[in-house]
Amino acid sequence: MLPGLGALTAFAVAQREGQRLEARFAERRDNKAAMDRFRDAATKHQDVESLLKDRRTLQVVLEAFQLEGEIDKRGILRKILTEDPTAEGALANRLTDRRWRELAAAFSTRQASALTTTQMAALTTTQVAALSARQVAGLSTEQVRALSSTQVAALSTTQLRALGSAAISVLDLPDVRALGSAQVAALRPSQVAALTPLQAAVIDPGEMRQWGAAQIRALTTTQVAGLGTTQVAALGTDQLAAMSIEQSRSLTTRQMAALGTTQIASLSRATRLGDEAVEAAAAAEARAASPFAADPGLLDRITAGAITNRYEKAMGDGNPGLREALYFMRNAAKVTTIVGLMEDKAMTAVVRGALGLPDSFGVLDFDQQKTLLTQRLDVTKLQDTREVAKLAQRYLALSATPATGGNAAVAALFGGSSASAIATLSTRRISFTA
């Protein structure tokens, strides 16, 4: 885009007309078709492994984080997309490139809370209802245990389904009794299986009657044996037919006496319908585990990020250094420390160029680079868009990147093996040569 204008002139146009230019770029037939295809394909992936096998869809995901050059590093990607980024030792936190952490955070189904149990207990029902599904999923068992029955009753069905099995098992009996009809009906099969026998025994018979075959089949034999006669008597023939032979055999004499003749007869159909329920439960759990299910807005953010990346690449075609300058403008406000700057080699390359630091800067060790950048750059200026624009303009003005070999230089900045080195910042030698 804007070929022949020169990087500085094209940058000025991008500053003035950037939003309009990017919007037109997004509406281009090829880009629109690519993003529509991505949306359709992404929603069909039930787990990360499936996504990793779909190269075209994975490509768009990685483009949104400027990591498309890492698409063949499946082992690293698998860990990044499945590990809890808040966990100690998570791979995303051991990689020096912040883009990996951004990718991991985007796909994390959990968002840990720093609230103490006292603070959790003090939340109003409105505040509890305002928690996202990711925040609810990230609650520890201690935090869940601190919730009152009123707070538990305020959870939406989406929030309740986000709770892990361990969190379900620590709910107090009054909490379980406080669950509304819609909440009980929404429990996932794995959550039903996580209920203690005492918890299962206090569920209202009428609410248990709403469970489908998959939820009934998820009950353990111990749970079944602990159900009250009123609960058992309320079960429908379809629910009893969904029971496995083991479940039906676990019914006590008192429970069997509470059943009608039609209900007893339905138990003979248990095996076939029970097996179908297991398959249905597995499919439902797989859909719930989709990498895009926990955050409905993730698809929008990925398509927007991928388009922005493609737009900046297109702007850089024929205008060496412009892609990096636009990337720098967009991300500078995220940087609050020199170390944070050095975690992004493309950003550091722009700063190095703007400060007139020679190519030999790249051969210095980490501490020397950090000291030099600290002396030459007031990092607080990166929060000022005018100062950021001045740095980007100076980078373009002083850039001596030749037209030939420019693509290789850009590829080195936005990808490559150095972005994947597993090391701590304190020991790694980093090269930021443009």
Side-chain angles (χ1 to χ4, degrees):
M1 296 177 69
L2 306 181
L5 289 183
L8 272 172
T9 303
F11 179 75
V13 174
Q15 289 296 98
R16 187 174 62 252
E17 303 287 343
Q19 289 186 340
R20 184 179 63 83
L21 288 173
E22 186 171 345
R24 284 176 53 191
F25 182 79
E27 288 300 314
R28 218 171 67 180
R29 182 177 299 179
D30 57 339
N31 289 324
K32 198 170 185 305
M35 294 305 112
D36 287 345
R37 183 217 162 267
F38 165 74
R39 285 179 175 277
D40 180 62
T43 56
K44 295 176 182 176
H45 290 296
Q46 297 182 350
D47 52 39
V48 166
E49 203 60 40
S50 174
L51 173 62
L52 290 174
K53 293 176 182 177
D54 182 350
R55 190 177 182 88
R56 289 179 67 185
T57 302
L58 181 62
Q59 175 78 15
V60 176
V61 170
L62 297 181
E63 280 183 302
F65 300 90
Q66 289 77 42
L67 286 168
E68 60 270 23
E70 314 290 351
I71 194 168
D72 293 319
K73 295 169 182 173
R74 301 302 174 88
I76 291 177
L77 288 170
R78 182 177 290 105
K79 280 184 171 292
I80 294 294
L81 294 173
T82 56
E83 287 184 340
D84 177 6
T86 65
E88 185 178 354
L91 178 60
N93 297 323
R94 291 187 286 131
L95 295 173
T96 59
D97 194 326
R98 65 169 175 80
R99 294 173 297 174
W100 290 111
R101 292 193 291 279
E102 292 176 352
L103 175 64
F107 278 82
S108 174
T109 58
R110 300 175 66 253
Q111 182 179 338
S113 171
L115 294 177
T116 65
T117 54
T118 301
Q119 291 171 323
M120 284 296 301
L123 293 177
T124 66
T125 54
T126 301
Q127 290 172 320
V128 170
L131 296 173
S132 68
R134 293 175 68 191
Q135 289 173 316
V136 173
L139 295 177
S140 67
T141 54
E142 290 76 15
Q143 290 171 316
V144 172
R145 191 179 281 113
L147 293 173
S148 68
S149 300
T150 305
Q151 290 172 313
V152 171
L155 294 172
S156 68
T157 55
T158 301
Q159 290 174 310
L160 185 66
R161 287 173 61 85
L163 285 175
S165 297
I168 288 289
S169 68
V170 300
L171 290 174
D172 293 330
L173 297 185
D175 297 339
V176 179
R177 290 193 185 97
L179 293 175
S181 178
Q183 291 172 307
V184 173
L187 289 173
R188 293 182 285 109
S190 60
Q191 291 176 315
V192 171
L195 293 169
T196 67
L198 287 176
Q199 287 174 320
V202 300
I203 293 176
D204 183 88
E207 293 172 352
M208 186 176 288
R209 180 68 184 86
Q210 300 175 95
W211 283 352
Q215 291 160 309
I216 290 294
R217 186 61 182 267
L219 289 167
T220 66
T221 55
T222 305
Q223 288 172 317
V224 171
L227 296 177
T229 55
T230 307
Q231 289 175 306
V232 173
L235 294 176
T237 55
D238 54 339
Q239 292 176 307
L240 290 165
M243 284 188 171
S244 67
I245 293 175
E246 290 75 15
Q247 285 176 312
S248 63
R249 286 175 177 169
S250 69
L251 290 169
T252 65
T253 303
R254 290 185 60 192
Q255 289 172 322
M256 289 294 294
L259 296 174
T261 55
T262 305
Q263 291 174 304
I264 293 174
S266 68
L267 288 171
S268 63
R269 296 189 292 130
T271 303
R272 180 177 62 82
L273 292 183
D275 290 342
E276 292 175 357
V278 168
E279 294 176 4
E285 292 289 340
R287 286 192 295 272
S290 165
F292 300 98
D295 185 354
L298 182 57
L299 281 177
D300 290 336
R301 293 197 298 276
I302 287 177
T303 53
I307 284 294
T308 296
N309 187 12
R310 292 185 180 194
Y311 163 74
E312 291 174 353
K313 280 183 182 179
M315 289 291 284
D317 290 342
N319 296 300
L322 184 55
R323 181 192 180 189
E324 299 94 307
L326 294 176
Y327 175 82
F328 179 76
M329 287 290 299
R330 181 163 56 87
N331 290 283
K334 298 177 183 178
V335 176
T336 57
T337 66
I338 291 297
V339 171
L341 172 69
M342 295 176 71
E343 289 178 332
D344 191 317
K345 56 186 177 178
M347 297 269 290
T348 306
V350 173
V351 171
R352 181 189 65 76
L355 297 178
L357 296 173
D359 289 349
S360 57
F361 173 82
V363 303
L364 301 176
D365 64 28
F366 174 82
D367 289 333
Q368 290 174 313
Q369 290 184 17
K370 179 184 174 184
T371 298
L372 193 54
L373 286 172
T374 301
Q375 292 170 345
R376 298 290 300 276
L377 176 70
D378 179 359
V379 76
T380 62
K381 289 186 176 182
L382 297 182
Q383 307 302 311
D384 185 331
T385 55
R386 290 174 299 182
E387 293 295 332
V388 171
K390 288 178 183 178
L391 283 170
Q393 289 168 339
R394 185 169 176 79
Y395 162 74
L396 291 172
L398 297 180
S399 176
T401 304
T404 57
N407 289 339
V410 171
L413 291 174
F414 286 95
S417 60
S418 62
S420 303
I422 303 174
T424 62
L425 283 171
S426 61
T427 60
R428 180 177 173 201
R429 173 183 291 270
I430 305 177
S431 175
F432 293 113
T433 55

